[in-house]
């Protein structure tokens, strides 16, 4: 079964139920199907090729949602463009995937005006298609379940971005797995409080396929999120830890009625034990978490709110989900027993098809059928997974992946920089904050704020360093490798000294 069919089947069962609600409109399942079918016809008219790549980007909106669903319904490959990325990075993504059509909002259209690809306005374009193709029927999916549904980026580089090819089968597996783990049904109301280009997209079809409602808050700020929970009887929310912390702070200052909330799901970044306890104290026993990667989306493992209430599980990411095989592998490729640390490896229908046009990267990541996550972890005797460290250097800041090499490449282009290293440091607000250590060329000077602004302009604010440290030299090993662990330790020691 194709992923979009879960939505169409629910629309047949619940045509008059509300599917989407925003401050501007309320849309039933019947109305949403008509909009999606018309926009799918518009996309097909622009490019009738099966599996044509369609890039969709912009702020969260009903138009954005319809564009995503229409892309899936038309049998195309969805390429999400996150406006939080820097413009040069977005342009590289467009160049790399060569989409035949870009569906973007006004702000993103201005930023990508020089991309050389055909663009259609999310607002005016979709409304025009709704009038032009108002009598179109829902397309019948074709192709194979092994075909690609989406290309999502794990991070851009100054060379070639790495795009993950997620299949129809992986998406359908995500839907069924979320139903099993969270029990979504027609009474669920999901608040879209994370970007549609990011983690929130993995909840769209599980909620719509169950007959539930998607709700857009007036704005993505803590007060507005809590107001929406209270006003609309929200049952489920997905947020990165940083936003959860801000919501908890707002709740303590100005309490609202959140009794309808059953699931506050966090992912994309770890949450310290003390923060878990604080959230549970303020909002009740609603916190749950999932563990996944772009290469195996969202739900490799899951820890529900009842399990997270058990003190033994507070540092766990849960147990492997229904259709995913998760093991711990040793350095020699052997599978390790409970209690022993090794690399987390995954196989099953959730796993990606590979990296877009990067066969060597694919071969090094999927070996003998196992996806090598790069995460270090262990299982306890009860089968709960605990992540200990990441073998890769990816920094997870505010729920977003930040690749140090991306930032280092931008910093290295500044004429005053001789050498640099980018690393993550534990941070109460961000989970991990991006730090940069730099050494300068003889006789050169640069303001730290100028370096931060340089990265913001190129890669976006999420990937910009929160702090820059100017050093005489970077610590190195005997084989001249930069010791980022020593840099991190130095920052933490300085922080400890300052607080004592």
């Amino acid at each position: 079964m194709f992923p979009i069919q879960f939505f169409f089947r629910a629309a047949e069962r619940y045509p008059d139920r509300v599917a989407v609600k925003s401050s501007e409109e309320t849309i039933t399942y019947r109305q949403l199907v008509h909009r999606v079918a018309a926009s799918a016809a518009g996309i097909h008219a622009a490019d009738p090729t099966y599996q044509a790549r369609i890039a969709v980007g912009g702020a969260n909106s009903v138009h954005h949602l319809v564009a995503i669903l229409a892309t899936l319904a038309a049998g195309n490959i969805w390429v999400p463009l996150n406006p939080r990325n820097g413009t040069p990075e977005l342009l590289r993504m467009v160049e790399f995937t060569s989409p035949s059509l870009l569906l973007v909002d006004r702000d993103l259209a201005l930023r990508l005006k020089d991309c050389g690809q055909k663009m259609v306005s999310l607002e005016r374009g979709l409304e025009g298609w709704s009038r032009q193709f108002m009598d179109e029927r829902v397309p019948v999916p074709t192709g194979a379940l092994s075909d690609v549904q989406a290309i999502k980026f794990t991070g851009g580089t100054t060379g070639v971005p790495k795009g993950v090819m997620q299949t129809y089968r992986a998406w359908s597996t995500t839907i069924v797995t979320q139903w099993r783990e969270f029990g979504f049904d027609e009474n669920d109301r999901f608040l879209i409080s994370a970007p549609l280009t990011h983690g929130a997209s993995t909840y769209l079809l599980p909620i719509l396929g169950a007959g539930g409602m998607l709700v857009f808050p007036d704005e993505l700020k803590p007060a507005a999120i809590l107001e929406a929970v209270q006003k609309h009887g929200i049952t489920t929310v997905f947020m990165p830890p940083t936003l959860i912390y801000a919501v908890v702070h707002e709740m303590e200052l100005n309490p609202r009625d959140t009794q309808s909330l059953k699931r506050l799901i966090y992912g994309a970044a770890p949450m310290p034990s003390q923060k878990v306890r604080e959230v549970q104290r303020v909002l009740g026993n609603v916190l749950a978490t999932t563990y996944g990667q772009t290469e195996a989306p969202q739900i490799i493992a899951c820890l529900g709110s009842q399990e997270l209430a058990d003190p033994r599980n507070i540092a766990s990411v849960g147990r492997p989900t229904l259709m995913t095989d998760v093991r711990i592998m040793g350095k020699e490729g052997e599978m390790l027993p409970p209690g022993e640390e090794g690399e987390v490896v995954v196989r099953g229908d959730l796993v990606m098809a590979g990296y877009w046009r990067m066969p060597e990267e694919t071969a090094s990541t999927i070996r003998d059928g196992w996806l090598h996550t790069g995460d270090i972890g262990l299982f306890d005797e009860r089968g709960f997974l605990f992540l200990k460290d990441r073998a890769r250097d990816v920094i997870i800041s505010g729920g977003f992946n930040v690749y140090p090499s991306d930032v280092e490449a931008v910093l290295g282009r500044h004429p005053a920089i001789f050498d640099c290293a980018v690393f993550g440091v534990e941070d109460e607000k961000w989970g991990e904050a991006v730090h940069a250590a730099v050494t300068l060329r003889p006789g050169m000077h640069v303001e730290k704020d100028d370096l931060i602004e340089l990265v913001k302009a190129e890669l976006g604010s999420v990937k910009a360093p929160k702090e820059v440290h100017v050093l005489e030299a970077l610590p190195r090993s005997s084989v001249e490798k930069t010791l980022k662990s020593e840099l991190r330790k130095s920052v933490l020691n300085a922080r400890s000294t300052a607080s004592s």
Side-chain angles (χ1 to χ4, degrees):
M1 186 165 173
F2 291 87
I4 194 66
Q5 289 180 289
F6 289 92
F7 160 55
F8 291 146
R9 179 177 290 183
E12 292 175 355
R13 294 179 177 177
Y14 312 107
D16 298 317
R17 288 186 67 90
V18 174
V20 181
K21 183 181 284 289
S22 72
S23 59
E24 299 176 349
E25 57 185 330
T26 299
I27 307 170
T28 66
Y29 271 83
R30 179 183 285 109
Q31 293 168 331
L32 184 59
V33 166
H34 284 311
R35 288 199 192 186
V36 169
S39 292
I43 293 171
H44 186 76
D47 187 347
T49 308
Y50 174 66
Q51 292 263 281
R53 293 174 296 284
I54 307 297
V56 184
N60 284 359
S61 69
V62 174
H63 288 113
H64 193 161
L65 168 67
V66 171
I68 294 171
L69 296 176
T71 299
L72 309 185
N76 297 122
I77 298 174
W78 173 46
V79 182
L81 299 176
N82 188 345
R84 295 188 182 188
N85 289 114
T87 299
E89 187 173 13
L90 290 171
L91 288 169
R92 287 193 295 271
M93 292 175 182
V94 171
E95 180 182 9
F96 187 44
T97 55
S98 299
S100 59
L101 185 66
L102 275 73
L103 302 175
V104 292
D105 65 11
R106 184 178 305 170
D107 291 341
L108 205 54
L110 290 173
R111 293 170 61 188
L112 300 177
K113 64 182 185 298
D114 298 325
C115 73
Q117 303 290 340
K118 182 179 179 180
M119 283 193 281
V120 171
S121 165
L122 272 179
E123 300 85 5
R124 297 189 303 276
L126 267 64
E127 289 171 3
W129 285 340
S130 291
R131 293 188 295 270
Q132 183 179 357
F133 300 105
M134 61 184 302
D135 296 325
E136 287 293 324
R137 293 188 151 205
V138 171
V140 178
T142 58
L145 292 176
S146 57
D147 289 342
V148 177
Q149 175 72 101
I151 298 174
K152 288 189 172 185
F153 289 93
T154 57
T157 69
T158 53
V160 180
K162 187 187 291 184
V164 174
M165 296 186 289
Q166 298 176 345
T167 65
Y168 289 120
R169 182 176 284 110
W171 275 48
S172 293
T173 299
T174 302
I175 294 167
V176 172
T177 301
Q178 290 199 23
W179 283 355
R180 183 180 188 274
E181 296 295 337
F182 296 123
F184 295 143
D185 61 25
E186 68 273 17
N187 297 310
D188 269 294
R189 299 184 173 198
F190 180 83
L191 187 68
I192 300 177
S193 57
L196 285 172
T197 55
H198 204 61
S201 66
T202 61
Y203 290 89
L204 300 180
L205 291 177
I207 294 294
L208 290 175
M213 181 195 303
L214 300 174
V215 179
F216 287 86
D218 293 339
E219 54 183 346
L220 298 180
K221 294 184 178 179
I225 288 171
L226 287 171
E227 289 293 339
V229 172
Q230 178 175 279
K231 179 180 179 180
H232 300 293
I234 298 299
T235 62
T236 306
V237 189
F238 169 79
M239 287 188 263
T242 47
L243 184 53
I244 293 178
Y245 304 155
V247 166
V248 167
H249 179 68
E250 172 66 25
M251 184 71 172
E252 290 188 298
L253 293 177
N254 300 292
R256 274 80 158 188
D257 182 0
T258 59
Q259 292 185 45
S260 63
L261 191 61
K262 297 178 181 178
R263 311 169 195 90
L264 174 54
I265 305 166
Y266 76 90
M271 184 180 291
S273 298
Q274 66 271 22
K275 289 292 187 181
V276 171
R277 295 187 182 95
E278 183 179 351
V279 175
Q280 291 171 333
R281 176 180 60 82
V282 174
L283 294 174
N285 187 24
V286 297
L287 194 64
T289 188
T290 60
Y291 164 58
Q293 297 186 330
T294 311
E295 291 87 345
Q298 198 66 29
I299 197 158
I300 292 171
C302 181
L303 190 68
S305 58
Q306 295 301 317
E307 292 176 322
L308 191 50
D310 186 335
R312 296 176 298 173
N313 301 331
I314 202 164
S316 174
V317 295
R319 288 181 283 195
T321 50
L322 179 66
M323 300 170 72
T324 306
D325 190 2
V326 185
R327 306 284 182 89
I328 303 298
M329 183 177 287
K331 293 182 179 180
E332 303 301 322
E334 76 282 16
M335 298 304 178
L336 300 177
E340 292 192 23
E341 291 185 12
E343 184 181 13
V344 180
V345 294
V346 179
R347 68 179 176 185
D349 291 344
L350 204 61
V351 173
M352 67 172 181
Y355 295 114
W356 173 253
R357 294 179 176 172
M358 300 180 76
E360 291 182 359
E361 288 280 351
T362 299
S364 68
T365 303
I366 302 177
R367 303 195 297 272
D368 298 324
W370 291 97
L371 172 72
H372 288 250
T373 67
D375 292 328
I376 303 302
L378 61 82
F379 282 108
D380 70 6
E381 293 291 344
R382 301 169 301 136
F384 284 83
L385 178 62
F386 293 78
L387 300 181
K388 296 299 182 180
D389 203 350
R390 289 190 302 280
R392 300 167 183 168
D393 285 334
V394 180
I395 302 164
I396 303 179
S397 185
F400 290 88
N401 286 356
V402 179
Y403 289 75
S405 58
D406 293 352
V407 185
E408 289 163 357
V410 175
L411 291 172
R413 292 204 298 268
H414 192 284
I417 300 301
F418 175 73
D419 200 0
C420 63
V422 172
F423 54 99
V425 175
E426 291 181 8
D427 184 88
E428 185 169 297
K429 178 180 180 181
W430 298 104
E432 282 186 300
V434 180
H435 283 237
V438 301
T439 61
L440 305 181
R441 297 184 185 279
M444 300 291 284
H445 174 77
V446 64
E447 295 293 334
K448 296 179 181 179
D449 288 345
D450 290 345
L451 295 176
I452 293 172
E453 290 302 317
L454 174 67
V455 178
K456 281 185 180 180
E458 179 76 14
L459 300 178
S461 58
V462 170
K463 298 181 181 181
K466 299 296 184 288
E467 291 187 38
V468 174
H469 312 274
V470 180
L471 306 178
E472 291 293 326
L474 299 179
R476 298 187 183 278
S477 70
S478 58
V479 293
E480 289 298 302
K481 288 188 176 181
T482 302
L483 297 173
K484 293 186 178 182
S485 59
E486 292 299 314
L487 290 170
R488 187 179 300 107
K489 186 185 301 181
S490 176
V491 172
L492 293 174
N493 287 342
R495 181 187 295 173
S496 177
T497 301
S499 62
S500 61

